């Protein structure tokens, strides 16, 4: 069975505080940037597999959000980080793996379940 998901990204910005970091989304468009992440080669129930998948998700989110802007572009950097965090969070939820969810929250599955 081939397992994969797509990391959709919506650049949501408060009108007064953030501007969108993705030039393609600066214009109104129906297209939402996405990157497919395959994980059929991983055991996402294991800590090691979940860590590898989380790294892949983070890399896909960076790509889908347009890549990190220069550090001096603070508004764009804030928008990029918000986009990236949102994309990673949505991808983790979409995979629906307790181990991956725990890894994304900085713990192990057992410590996450105890919360």
């Amino acid at each position: 069975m081939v397992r994969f998901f797509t990391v959709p990204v919506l650049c949501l910005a408060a009108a007064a505080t953030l501007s969108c970091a993705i030039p393609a989304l600066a214009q109104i468009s129906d297209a939402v940037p996405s990157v497919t992440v395959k994980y059929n080669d991983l055991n996402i129930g294991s800590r090691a597999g979940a860590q590898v998948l989380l790294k892949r998700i983070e890399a896909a989110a960076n790509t889908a959000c347009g890549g990190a802007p220069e550090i001096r572009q603070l508004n764009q950097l804030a928008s990029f980080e918000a986009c990236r965090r949102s994309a990673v969070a949505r991808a983790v939820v979409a995979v629906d793996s307790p181990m991956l969810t725990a890894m994304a929250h900085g713990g192990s599955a057992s410590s996450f379940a105890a919360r």
Side-chain angles (χ1 to χ4, degrees), residues 14-87:
T17 58
L18 297 175
S19 63
C20 188
I22 304 172
L25 289 182
Q27 301 172 3
I28 297 177
S29 173
D30 291 336
V32 175
S34 64
V35 176
T36 299
V37 177
K38 295 183 180 182
Y39 60 101
N40 59 323
D41 60 323
L42 301 174
N43 173 5
I44 61 172
S46 73
R47 182 175 178 86
Q51 282 179 324
V52 170
L53 180 54
L54 185 58
K55 294 295 181 195
R56 289 180 188 178
I57 290 171
E58 290 169 346
N62 287 346
T63 299
C65 290
E70 286 188 33
I71 192 79
R72 294 175 289 177
Q73 298 171 325
L74 297 180
N75 285 344
Q76 289 180 352
L77 185 59
S79 294
F80 168 77
E81 287 298 328
C83 175
R84 190 187 61 75
R85 279 191 305 272
S86 176

